[in-house]
Amino acid sequence: MKRKFVTNLFLLLFLNLLIKPFWIFGIDRTVQNVVGAESYGLYFSLLNFSMILNILLDLGITNFNNRNIAQHSHLLQKYLNNIIGLKFLLAVGYAAVCLILATIIGYNQVQFHLLLFLIFNQFLISFTFYLRSNISGLHLFRTDSLLSVLDRSLMILFCGVLLFTNWFGGYFSISWFVYAQSAAYLLAALVTFFTVLHYAKSIRIQYDLRYIRLILKQSYPFALLILLMSVYNRIDSVLLERLLPDPVGKMQAGIYAQAFRLLDTFAMFGALFAGLLLPMFARMIKQRDDLVQLVQLAYLLIIVPAILIGVAANFYGYEIMQLLYHEHIGESAPIFGILMAGFIGIATTYIFGTLLTANGNLRQLNVMAFGGMLINIVLNLVLIQQMQALGAAYAALTTQILTAAAQVGIATYLFKLKINYLLIFKLTGFVLFSILAGKLTLFVDHWIFGFWLLIAAGFAYAFITRLISLKTLYLILKNDPE
C-alpha cells in the first residue's frame, strides 16, 4: 500500500506541477492584473460565497461514497443509479438557497449575474468530484490523476485564447473569466461521466426515496464537517467585502485574494494527499492493517515542504508579490506570509483529518470544526474592523493551527499512537534550521537565488537528518507490495 501511495503521489504531483502553475501564474494572475483588485475582489468574494454553501450540493456524499466504494466496490452501479439523481435534486436546492441568501445580503444585478454562473460552476465541480470518487474508490488512481487536471487544462486553453489573442476583439472582463470556467467544467464533467460509465457498464437514474434517505442519513456527518470547515476556510473574504464600506471592502477582498491565491494553490497539492489517502486508509482500516508507517510517511512528505514554504513566504513575501502583481504589493506581502505559515496547519489536517474521516470519527471532527468556525468568525469580526485584510489573515492562521493540533490529538488518542519524541525533536530542529537559513540567504545578491538556496538547504537538511529518507522511498518503490 505504501508503494501504491508513493507511485501515484508522484504521478499526481507531476501532472499537477505540469498544469496548475500555468493556470495560477499564466492565467489567474494575469486576470487579477488585467481586471484590477476591485473587480477581482468582487469575483473572489462571490466565489467564496458560492463555495461556503457548496456542501448543499453534496451533503457529504462524495467522501461517504469514496470510503464505501473503496471498501465495497461491488456496490458501484447501485450507488450510481441512486446518487446521480440525488445530485440533481440537491443542485436545485443549492441554487435556491444561494439566490435567497444573496437577496437577503443585498447583492446587486451585476453580482447576481456573476453568481448565477458561479452556482452553475459549483454544481459541475461537485458533480465531477462525485464521479471521480468512484474512480479513486476503485483504486484507479492513474485514471483519476489524469481526470484531476482536465478542467484546468481546458481553462488554460479557453482563457489563453481570450487573454492573449485578438480573436474576440482583445477585450477581457471578469465575466469572460467566469464563462470560460463554465465551459471547461462542463466538458470535464462530461468526460468524467463517460469514464465512470465505462467501469459501471450502465447507469439507470433512480429516485428511490428509501435508499436516498439511507444515503443521506449516513452521509450527513460528512456534510456537516465539510460545511463547518468551508465556513472557517472561506468566510474571511465574504466578511471583508460585507463588513467594510464600499469600495474599501471590495478592495481589501482583492488584496486578500492576491495573498490567498498561492495558499489556495498549495492547498490543492495538499488535497492530492487526502484524495489518495482516504480510500487507502479506509481499506487498510477494514483489513486491520498497520497504519503507523503510512501515516508517518505521508505526513513527512507533506510537512517538510509546508514548513519550507511557510518560512520562505515570510522572508521573501514582498518579492514574490512584486513578481506576481502590479499593485498593492506592500499590503498583500505580510498577509501572504501569515497565510502561508497557516499552511503548516492545513497540511497537518490533510493527513490526520483524512485518517479520522476514513475511520468514521465524524462526531469528533465535527466538534473540532464547530469550535474552529466559532473561533474564526469571532476573530474576523474583531480583527477585520481593526486591521482589515491583515486581521483576516491572523484569524485564518490561528484557526488553522488550533484545528490541526486538535486533529493530531484526537487521532493520537483514538488510534493509540505512540508519541514519537525523536520525530518531534527532528521537526523542531528543521524549523529552526529553516529560519536560520532564511536569515542567511537574505545576504545573497539576488532574492531568487536566495529563495532557491533556502529551499535547497532545507531539503538537504531533511535528507541528511533522515526526516525524508531516499533509501526508504527506494525500498518502498522496489519491494513493498501494493
Side-chain angles (χ1 to χ4, degrees):
M1 192 63 74
K2 287 184 292 181
R3 181 173 184 267
K4 180 177 285 188
F5 168 70
V6 172
T7 54
N8 286 286
L9 176 63
F10 285 167
L11 175 62
L12 263 177
L13 289 175
F14 171 75
L15 290 172
N16 280 270
L17 286 171
L18 190 66
I19 298 298
K20 290 187 176 176
F22 283 101
W23 167 252
I24 298 300
F25 302 115
I27 302 299
D28 195 59
R29 178 188 69 91
T30 303
V31 170
Q32 288 179 259
N33 286 327
V34 168
V35 302
E38 185 175 332
S39 183
Y40 193 90
L42 171 63
Y43 156 79
F44 187 66
S45 174
L46 291 170
L47 174 65
N48 283 331
F49 173 80
S50 68
M51 291 180 72
I52 290 172
L53 297 170
N54 177 279
I55 188 55
L56 299 177
L57 282 167
D58 188 68
L59 295 182
I61 290 169
T62 297
N63 280 338
F64 162 80
N65 185 72
N66 195 332
R67 178 172 177 261
N68 278 272
I69 294 299
Q71 296 179 336
H72 312 286
S73 57
H74 62 282
L75 295 176
L76 173 63
Q77 191 176 70
K78 184 178 182 181
Y79 275 32
L80 278 169
N81 290 341
N82 287 277
I83 292 177
I84 287 180
L86 175 59
K87 293 288 288 184
F88 285 103
L89 290 177
L90 292 174
V92 174
Y94 163 75
V97 172
C98 281
L99 295 175
I100 290 170
L101 288 178
T103 303
I104 294 171
I105 290 173
Y107 284 149
N108 59 33
Q109 185 176 356
V110 173
Q111 291 167 320
F112 261 101
H113 177 76
L114 284 177
L115 185 59
L116 283 172
F117 281 91
L118 291 172
I119 287 171
F120 179 59
N121 290 354
Q122 288 303 311
F123 163 69
L124 293 173
I125 293 168
S126 176
F127 189 61
T128 303
F129 278 172
Y130 160 68
L131 293 171
R132 283 180 49 206
S133 75
N134 293 285
I135 300 295
S136 61
L138 293 171
H139 280 217
L140 300 168
F141 296 118
R142 289 174 177 81
T143 302
D144 187 53
S145 298
L146 294 171
L147 293 172
S148 73
V149 297
L150 179 59
D151 55 357
R152 286 291 187 272
S153 301
L154 292 169
M155 279 188 265
I156 290 171
L157 175 62
F158 297 157
C159 291
V161 170
L162 292 171
L163 283 168
F164 305 117
T165 73
N166 289 318
W167 294 359
F168 296 88
Y171 171 76
F172 190 86
S173 69
I174 199 66
S175 298
W176 280 98
F177 185 51
V178 176
Y179 303 155
Q181 291 180 55
S182 298
Y185 285 134
L186 179 59
L187 286 175
L190 290 172
V191 171
T192 308
F193 173 78
F194 286 109
T195 303
V196 174
L197 180 61
H198 170 74
Y199 291 102
K201 305 305 180 185
S202 66
I203 296 175
R204 187 174 69 255
I205 297 176
Q206 299 174 345
Y207 290 97
D208 185 337
L209 294 181
R210 289 179 58 189
Y211 195 73
I212 287 174
R213 280 197 298 266
L214 178 63
I215 291 173
L216 292 178
K217 183 178 179 180
Q218 295 181 67
S219 68
Y220 87 86
F222 293 93
L224 181 59
L225 175 62
I226 295 169
L227 174 62
L228 294 173
M229 294 182 73
S230 296
V231 170
Y232 73 68
N233 281 317
R234 295 285 176 178
I235 202 170
D236 36 26
S237 61
V238 177
L239 290 176
L240 278 168
E241 196 268 333
R242 290 285 99 185
L243 291 177
L244 298 174
D246 191 35
V248 176
K250 294 184 180 68
M251 184 71 70
Q252 286 296 308
I255 292 169
Y256 190 82
Q258 289 185 180
F260 188 86
R261 170 50 58 202
L262 285 179
L263 173 65
D264 212 19
T265 303
F266 286 109
M268 289 179 191
F269 287 102
L272 301 179
F273 281 74
L276 277 176
L277 287 171
L278 181 60
M280 289 185 179
F281 282 155
R283 186 166 293 183
M284 291 176 73
I285 289 169
K286 182 187 178 186
Q287 296 172 351
R288 300 185 183 278
D289 294 335
D290 181 31
L291 293 160
V292 173
Q293 289 187 331
L294 181 57
V295 171
Q296 181 170 308
L297 172 66
Y299 186 61
L300 288 174
L301 286 176
I302 195 173
I303 201 64
V304 166
I307 292 170
L308 274 177
I309 291 166
V311 171
N314 279 275
F315 280 103
Y316 295 102
Y318 184 88
E319 289 82 0
I320 292 171
M321 290 294 102
Q322 190 174 44
L323 179 67
L324 296 177
Y325 301 108
H326 299 157
E327 56 184 5
H328 307 294
I329 309 302
E331 297 98 320
S332 62
I335 296 169
F336 174 61
I338 295 166
L339 290 177
M340 293 312 299
F343 180 60
I344 296 170
I346 295 172
T348 301
T349 292
Y350 276 128
I351 306 302
F352 290 93
T354 301
L355 175 62
L356 292 168
T357 300
N359 197 45
N361 301 118
L362 279 303
R363 184 176 65 84
Q364 293 89 341
L365 282 172
N366 278 315
V367 171
M368 174 279 302
F370 182 73
M373 182 190 70
L374 290 180
I375 291 170
N376 185 262
I377 291 175
V378 170
L379 287 175
N380 269 308
L381 290 175
V382 173
L383 296 178
I384 284 176
Q385 297 290 353
Q386 298 177 1
M387 306 168 68
Q388 298 184 338
L390 189 65
Y394 279 118
L397 171 63
T398 303
T399 306
Q400 298 298 349
I401 296 301
L402 290 178
T403 53
Q407 288 169 82
V408 172
I410 294 168
T412 301
Y413 173 76
L414 292 177
F415 286 91
K416 296 180 172 56
L417 302 175
K418 293 182 179 178
I419 299 176
N420 191 331
Y421 292 103
L422 178 60
L423 182 59
I424 294 173
F425 177 77
K426 284 185 175 182
L427 283 173
T428 303
F430 179 69
V431 172
L432 295 175
F433 174 84
S434 300
I435 294 172
L436 176 61
K439 289 182 177 293
L440 293 176
T441 57
L442 292 177
F443 294 102
V444 176
D445 287 340
H446 197 286
W447 76 267
I448 292 181
F449 294 123
F451 174 86
W452 287 112
L453 182 60
L454 168 58
I455 301 298
F459 276 112
Y461 181 91
F463 290 134
I464 291 170
T465 59
R466 297 179 65 82
L467 266 175
I468 299 177
S469 173
L470 290 175
K471 182 180 179 181
T472 299
L473 290 175
Y474 171 75
L475 292 175
I476 288 171
L477 293 172
K478 182 179 179 182
N479 301 319
D480 190 50
E482 297 190 14

